[in-house]
Amino acid sequence: MNTPKEFEGASGGATDARSTSQTRRAAGLSSFRAVTLEISLKPFGRRPLTPSAAEEVCQTLYRQWMRLIERAQELSVLVWAADGSEILDYSGDLSERFEWACWIGAANPRGGMGHPPDCACLHCLPRRYMEEPPPFTYAQLAAIVRALKQTGERLTGRRVRVGVAFDPGGEFAKSSFKYERHNEICLADTMGPGSFVVCYARLNADRRRYAGYPDGIPQGLSFGRFLGRQARYFLADLGFDYLWFSNGFGLGMETWKPTGPLFDGDRYYPEHAAGIRQRILEFWRDFRAECDAPVELRGTNLGTGADLATDAVPLRDIYDGGFHIVPPPNSPWAAINGDFGIELAGYLSRIAELPDDADGYPYRFYAHDPWWLNSPWLDRYGRRPHDIYLPLSVSRLDAGGRALTPSVVAILTTDDSRGEMPDSVPHEVIPHILHAAECAPDEPGPIIWVYPFDELHAGVFEANPPRLAEAFAHDWFISSAINHGFPLNTVISSRRLLALSNEGRKALAERVLLSFLPDADSPLNAALLRHVREGGALLLYGPIRRAAPEWLDALGLQIAEPLEGEFDLEADDTFDSLSREAFPPRIRHRASHGGGGLDATPRDGARPFARARRAADVRALAVRRDSIAWTASLNSNGCDPRQYFAGEILLRRALAALGWEIHFSHGDPAQRRPITAI
């Protein structure tokens, strides 16, 4: 392989003395294990790339974020050079040019996103970020990597890890590999036909020279093996230390959508689950057979349960497979679209369990967007720090009942769409991040979500019949409940709950456990029964068809024929206070979105505080009894809130009997409710 000549010099430098987060917190300092600063090549392209110009960009980067870097033990920089096609195309010749991410808007528009044919929006007509963007060679990219390491080590005293991103889509850089030579690997229609690479695709043959395949690609080669071998050569030759898999790559097909090969929005196809699971795991095995570099995941737009039900994403197998990955952070997409329920529930669902070798889990903040002509801190959020304090209020519990908060903070990105790096953003953002870390949870929150990480996987891959609708409804229900004011930011997996020590169980005292209704003969069911018998409070949700008799007796419920469709709503609760309109007296339930039909009816003498009625049929929606409560897993997504009651509100109202009264006063049913994190 050729050796780059620009910016010659050996990297080196001292690392800082490490201190534990507990020690730093005791000293009154906020602390993270690591900080990751993300940057595109745009700042390096704004003037001729000389050693001094590259170093100046690096100095600006580290100077701006130094207050955050000082509070971390480790430092990484993630470089958005292109879209990953620079890895796929790499031949081993460092003097060659590569297509880089010099665009604003989708660099490879594919159509199919609902835009008219003559649309000139950024999804359809990308623009260059400057009049004449300079070309980049692989040698220049290697020189930038060295400059980032050398300057960072000199200024911060820390060894700097540098990573590069692989993105499955066409947003960032022109890609002849994905969209001309090998469009067969783009099996997903996420941004139009043939727009997203799917990890378990296979390649057609070609005779082009590649670093890992100098004689060309053989017919039917797995994409995992090709990417792994190309990445091994690319990372070694250019000096990169790790890979970032962007936009759900490595986890399924339609990683942005609530549909996929197992669910078309109405019907489930469980017969495909086992095969897709195997193909995803084969990708990871093939990739790891060729490349052992650390991999960090962005994750999908949704949560673990929805990913299982739509795309057969075997996150448990990936975590437990020894693939040396860092788990996904909170979703940046959900926050900029104002869907904090999906962001928080999805985040909690992915950190309930972690890979065995994971050193904590990351939090990611969307400061700038180098592609879509906005800087979320300034434009989307209007300098409001809600997407700092909400995700940094999150914690997961270990087997000792200790609250573990995010250990890594990542900044997406430190430059904007024009390649500028305004001081105002780090000056304003850093104090909020540090304050949120100083006030982070040091014990469990009042509501602890018992996430059925193992049970959801078993329900999709092992149950007969498979329980895809329940997995889908599980995460959507909690996501929407958070959007309707339910105060949830602490999670423990069912696996960790079962392994709790005596000291750990004491940590759950005076907390409300939130859990789906487990199978009657399951270990989780026994653990929840013990929690209640020891004086704990429990809030249950979901279908009752496999519930233990103890729960049915305590709640005054019995199993009935599942019903779906429209119902009259009867309620003995005022819910929230509305000043202009009343809540609608109708409710709509779709079995495919709600884990099955409504299957609970009151026993003689029992009176649920919310009921659904259709003619003579009555179905229970919510019950409060002493230290336990239950609600059906309703899903109002897609329903007009002025026409149908949002049943997810019932979960918050059920808390009233368990010690937490949260009540909102607002104008009408369509008005958004505050997101709460206690």
Side-chain angles (χ1 to χ4, degrees):
M1 302 299 167
N2 293 335
T3 301
K5 300 299 182 184
E6 294 89 346
F7 313 170
E8 289 286 0
S11 64
T15 57
D16 65 321
R18 297 191 177 187
S19 59
T20 65
S21 58
Q22 291 92 337
T23 301
R24 294 181 65 84
R25 178 171 286 179
L29 298 172
S30 56
S31 176
F32 295 97
R33 179 182 61 78
V35 164
T36 298
L37 304 176
E38 304 183 30
I39 189 170
S40 78
L41 293 186
K42 288 180 176 179
F44 296 95
R46 291 179 62 84
R47 59 193 239 190
L49 186 62
T50 63
S52 61
E55 183 172 351
E56 185 177 328
V57 173
C58 297
Q59 287 176 343
T60 300
L61 173 70
Y62 297 124
R63 172 185 57 79
Q64 287 183 330
W65 296 92
M66 187 63 73
R67 285 184 62 202
L68 190 59
I69 295 169
E70 289 172 343
R71 301 296 182 91
Q73 303 161 15
E74 301 171 14
L75 175 60
S76 299
V77 178
L78 175 60
V79 178
W80 290 90
D83 68 339
S85 295
E86 73 277 25
I87 303 172
L88 305 180
D89 283 330
Y90 182 52
S91 71
D93 183 354
L94 290 168
S95 67
E96 288 182 348
R97 294 179 177 180
F98 65 92
E99 289 284 345
W100 66 284
C102 63
W103 300 92
I104 297 174
N108 304 271
R110 303 293 289 173
M113 295 189 69
H115 301 287
D118 59 348
C119 181
C121 77
L122 293 177
H123 280 95
C124 302
L125 189 64
R127 285 84 163 167
R128 291 179 174 86
Y129 89 109
M130 58 186 297
E131 189 171 338
E132 294 185 10
F136 273 106
T137 66
Y138 287 100
Q140 289 173 313
L141 179 56
I144 289 171
V145 172
R146 286 200 304 279
L148 286 165
K149 291 184 177 183
Q150 293 169 1
T151 305
E153 289 167 5
R154 187 179 70 252
L155 295 180
T156 71
R158 290 154 172 78
R159 175 184 175 272
V160 180
R161 296 168 66 245
V162 180
V164 66
F166 178 84
D167 186 85
E171 297 176 82
F172 309 138
K174 297 287 186 184
S175 176
S176 62
F177 190 100
K178 295 177 186 175
Y179 302 114
E180 296 172 14
R181 306 198 311 274
H182 289 287
N183 193 231
E184 71 275 5
I185 62 175
C186 295
L187 303 177
D189 297 340
T190 308
M191 295 184 71
S195 56
F196 260 49
V197 176
V198 175
C199 66
Y200 48 78
R202 291 190 172 269
L203 288 150
N204 291 334
D206 80 20
R207 300 183 64 83
R208 182 186 175 107
R209 177 182 175 85
Y210 299 93
Y213 294 88
D215 297 325
I217 298 173
Q219 180 64 33
L221 180 68
S222 76
F223 186 70
R225 191 164 289 274
F226 177 77
L227 175 62
R229 188 177 298 186
Q230 283 293 106
R232 171 157 50 94
Y233 282 89
F234 179 88
L235 297 178
D237 292 352
L238 278 77
F240 286 103
D241 301 295
Y242 71 97
L243 277 168
W244 169 268
F245 284 175
S246 174
N247 279 325
F249 181 74
L251 298 177
M253 180 179 286
E254 291 293 355
T255 56
W256 282 6
K257 297 181 179 180
T259 56
L262 302 188
F263 183 50
D264 62 12
D266 181 51
R267 180 185 170 192
Y268 292 94
Y269 301 91
E271 63 272 17
H272 302 315
I276 293 174
R277 174 197 194 185
Q278 274 307 116
R279 292 170 72 185
I280 293 173
L281 292 175
E282 285 171 6
F283 160 79
W284 283 101
R285 296 186 190 108
D286 285 352
F287 177 84
R288 278 303 184 211
E290 298 285 351
C291 180
D292 62 0
V295 171
E296 301 183 3
L297 302 181
R298 184 271 204 189
T300 70
N301 280 354
L302 306 176
T304 300
D307 286 343
L308 280 164
T310 61
D311 284 80
V313 177
L315 194 62
R316 179 183 62 179
D317 301 312
I318 295 171
Y319 278 9
D320 295 346
F323 296 124
H324 192 31
I325 62 168
V326 174
N330 49 311
S331 164
W333 163 86
I336 64 170
N337 283 277
D339 199 325
F340 300 101
I342 284 182
E343 179 187 19
L344 294 175
Y347 195 19
L348 293 167
S349 80
R350 293 194 289 250
I351 64 171
E353 282 293 329
L354 298 178
D356 288 340
D357 58 354
D359 190 0
Y361 62 96
Y363 155 73
R364 196 175 187 216
F365 180 67
Y366 214 159
H368 289 297
D369 190 323
W371 309 289
W372 296 102
L373 202 57
N374 76 102
S375 292
W377 171 250
L378 303 173
D379 306 321
R380 303 276 193 153
Y381 303 153
R383 291 181 158 98
R384 293 185 297 271
H386 48 275
D387 203 43
I388 296 172
Y389 290 106
L390 282 172
L392 283 177
S393 76
V394 159
S395 66
R396 66 182 298 270
L397 304 188
D398 64 10
R402 292 181 293 270
L404 305 178
T405 54
S407 58
V408 178
V409 59
I411 304 297
L412 167 70
T413 54
T414 56
D415 61 310
D416 65 18
S417 298
R418 301 288 187 191
E420 297 175 349
M421 303 168 72
D423 285 340
S424 60
V425 171
H427 288 177
E428 296 170 15
V429 165
I430 291 172
H432 288 297
I433 293 175
L434 296 181
H435 185 240
E438 288 163 1
C439 300
D442 54 9
E443 60 181 62
I447 318 298
I448 301 172
W449 192 14
V450 180
Y451 194 81
F453 195 78
D454 293 321
E455 290 81 357
L456 290 177
H457 283 81
V460 170
F461 297 127
E462 300 163 19
N464 186 20
R467 304 175 183 177
L468 274 65
E470 292 179 35
F472 183 87
H474 183 270
D475 285 12
W476 276 111
F477 174 60
I478 298 298
S479 297
S480 191
I482 292 172
N483 280 335
H484 286 91
F486 189 81
L488 184 62
N489 55 354
T490 306
V491 69
I492 185 171
S493 72
S494 54
R495 190 190 306 179
R496 300 295 158 197
L497 181 72
L498 296 175
L500 274 179
S501 63
N502 289 334
E503 198 63 31
R505 286 206 299 275
K506 291 178 183 177
L508 306 187
E510 300 182 6
R511 268 70 175 182
V512 177
L513 292 189
L514 172 70
S515 174
F516 83 112
L517 259 172
D519 288 5
D521 57 352
S522 66
L524 177 57
N525 188 72
L528 296 178
L529 283 168
R530 180 173 63 181
H531 174 72
V532 172
R533 288 166 181 162
E534 291 176 351
L538 179 63
L539 177 52
L540 297 163
Y541 57 89
I544 70 165
R545 50 187 169 268
R546 291 184 298 274
E550 292 93 333
W551 301 126
L552 300 181
D553 292 343
L555 295 167
L557 298 176
Q558 58 189 4
I559 300 170
E561 176 191 0
L563 298 178
E564 63 176 322
E566 296 190 15
F567 302 85
D568 293 324
L569 173 66
E570 300 176 345
D572 303 332
D573 194 300
T574 58
F575 305 119
D576 295 330
S577 302
L578 305 183
S579 61
R580 292 191 296 272
E581 298 178 27
F583 282 108
R586 299 280 291 167
I587 198 161
R588 183 184 178 198
H589 183 74
R590 293 165 290 183
S592 61
H593 293 66
L598 299 176
D599 63 354
T601 193
R603 291 183 180 177
D604 292 341
R607 186 173 177 83
F609 76 85
R611 304 166 298 281
R613 181 180 295 276
R614 187 166 62 202
D617 292 317
V618 177
R619 294 294 179 264
L621 298 178
V623 177
R624 294 185 293 225
R625 288 284 185 89
D626 300 322
S627 62
I628 64 171
W630 166 87
T631 71
S633 53
L634 303 167
N635 185 344
S636 65
N637 284 289
C639 296
D640 182 348
R642 289 188 169 89
Q643 184 177 0
Y644 298 105
F645 178 76
E648 299 89 338
I649 295 173
L650 297 174
L651 194 68
R652 170 166 51 85
R653 297 307 302 150
L655 275 177
L658 305 177
W660 292 91
E661 176 83 20
I662 300 173
H663 188 94
F664 298 124
S665 298
H666 48 108
D668 59 67
Q671 185 176 347
R672 297 184 60 170
R673 291 163 184 81
I675 310 298
T676 58
I678 304 173

